[in-house]
Amino acid sequence: FFLLEASGRETLSRELTAKMQALAATLLLLLHGSVVHPFSLVVHQRRQAVVTTTRLSAGGFEWEDPTSDQADPGVENPYKNPELLKKTADGDEEGLLVDPARLLSPRLRGCNLYLIGMMGSGKSAVGDALARRMGTYNFLDTDVILERAVGMSIPEIFEKEGEDAFRDAEAQVLDSVHAHVRCVIGTGGGLVTRNQNWAKLQTGLVLYLKTDPETIYKRIEGTDRPLLQTDDPLATLKDLTEERRGKYEQADVTIEVEDGMDVEAVTDMCIRMLHDFIDDNPPAWKQAKEKAQADGLDWVQ
């Protein structure tokens, strides 16, 4: 899973490098509860695709029909259909009463969700709550995976190996997790600072939990965050936030986290904005289909 360049410029120590080799097995344990062959999940998905999707031949190649029922499950934005979300005055169900999060999974069709933002912005708590409510998605925290793989805490890695070594290991974690599907992934605050990581983040949908430095500082004051071990942690936090702002704002969806909002409120906002984002950014084939039908091509189904 992980191949480090054998060069004099390598920043990871041999001990840390050896521990990183266990990261693939750790990730598979988190996802499946047992160690399996690294490629078995991919093979299973490919076999499953042959059974559950419509495959057509064109130009000597097989391709999946994007207009099939499996590709387009027909699930719409529940916030635009209030009948899905309310009850009658006497308490009887009116229409389908469902958590809007449950309808995200079929609309996302396996697309990963990446949560980015400053340390203490709530990525881990919100990501875990979001995955639980969606039902068919797993939550992964890149910092937790890294700590389990190397057997050291984040502060210890910073102290013994330095920030560059930590960023190298962090990038390798992302290389691994982005290959899986149906995951909500909480990332480290500084992961966005390396351009190479954006190539992985952009394989899914990116949510930025935008939180004021003052709010963050209230949450993490007195903790051992490595980058805040300075004479003025709040000033350092403000500087880091401003330094990374341009990267964070490249996210697909920005969630304005206000002081006093709890995990449930932020999660609700994520769910609603994701539904709206999907509405506003339909796949190209669906746009072409709607345009053809609008132009009077009734035979287009």
Side-chain angles (χ1 to χ4, degrees):
F1 250 58
F2 301 101
L3 297 176
L4 297 175
E5 295 183 1
S7 68
R9 296 191 301 265
E10 185 175 311
T11 56
L12 292 177
S13 68
R14 290 184 178 180
E15 178 183 1
L16 183 55
T17 299
K19 290 179 178 179
M20 284 299 295
Q21 307 305 315
L23 182 55
T26 302
L27 177 59
L28 290 170
L29 275 169
L30 290 172
L31 284 172
H32 309 294
S34 60
V35 177
V36 297
H37 190 280
F39 298 106
S40 63
L41 178 62
V42 177
V43 172
H44 171 72
Q45 290 170 342
R46 288 175 180 169
R47 289 175 181 166
Q48 190 73 7
V50 174
V51 175
T52 61
T53 59
T54 303
R55 303 186 70 87
L56 305 175
S57 297
F61 297 93
E62 287 188 339
W63 58 286
E64 295 178 4
D65 182 4
T67 63
S68 67
D69 291 338
Q70 290 82 9
D72 182 13
V75 177
E76 302 298 337
N77 188 338
Y79 294 100
K80 296 181 179 179
N81 185 355
E83 298 301 319
L84 292 177
L85 302 171
K86 68 180 182 181
K87 293 184 178 181
T88 58
D90 58 7
D92 294 332
E93 292 186 2
E94 183 177 22
L96 176 63
L97 185 64
V98 62
D99 184 346
R102 293 285 176 173
L103 301 182
L104 268 179
S105 295
R107 300 194 78 198
L108 288 169
R109 287 175 286 171
C111 178
N112 286 338
L113 300 175
Y114 294 93
L115 274 63
I116 65 173
M118 286 295 295
M119 63 185 86
S121 60
K123 300 183 296 294
S124 297
V126 172
D128 182 59
L130 179 58
R132 288 178 184 275
R133 287 180 59 180
M134 290 175 69
T136 59
Y137 270 56
N138 294 299
F139 174 68
L140 298 174
D141 187 313
T142 58
D143 283 349
V144 171
I145 294 172
L146 178 54
E147 287 181 329
R148 291 185 182 183
V150 303
M152 290 187 287
S153 67
I154 301 299
E156 289 174 334
I157 298 174
F158 267 80
E159 180 182 356
K160 296 180 180 180
E161 306 291 342
E163 183 176 358
D164 286 343
F166 171 75
R167 298 298 175 203
D168 288 341
E170 182 180 56
Q172 292 185 40
V173 174
L174 185 61
D175 283 343
S176 176
V177 300
H178 102 280
H180 296 278
V181 296
R182 292 183 174 84
C183 292
V184 179
I185 300 167
T187 65
L191 183 139
V192 299
T193 60
R194 290 197 174 183
N195 290 332
Q196 71 188 67
N197 292 335
W198 273 99
K200 311 299 188 307
L201 294 175
Q202 289 172 343
T203 62
L205 291 181
V206 183
L207 292 83
Y208 168 32
L209 301 188
K210 185 177 182 180
T211 313
D212 290 336
E214 291 79 8
T215 299
I216 293 175
Y217 188 65
K218 291 178 184 178
R219 298 175 178 176
I220 64 176
E221 185 177 6
T223 61
D224 58 352
R225 306 278 178 157
L227 295 180
L228 297 186
Q229 304 307 306
T230 62
D231 294 334
D232 191 345
L234 179 57
T236 302
L237 191 58
K238 290 180 178 179
D239 291 341
L240 285 172
T241 301
E242 187 59 35
E243 177 185 322
R244 298 171 181 175
R245 186 182 305 280
K247 298 289 188 182
Y248 288 145
E249 291 178 349
Q250 295 179 39
D252 299 300
V253 175
T254 297
I255 310 297
E256 299 276 356
V257 181
E258 299 177 359
D259 191 17
M261 291 179 67
D262 60 14
V263 171
E264 183 179 0
V266 178
T267 305
D268 285 339
M269 187 177 295
C270 289
I271 293 165
R272 180 156 199 156
M273 294 191 71
L274 280 168
H275 275 297
D276 290 342
F277 179 85
I278 295 170
D279 283 348
D280 295 338
N281 298 271
W285 66 264
K286 182 173 284 189
Q287 296 180 54
K289 177 179 176 180
E290 291 174 353
K291 183 178 185 304
Q293 292 175 336
D295 290 342
L297 300 178
D298 297 332
W299 52 269
V300 176
Q301 299 296 322

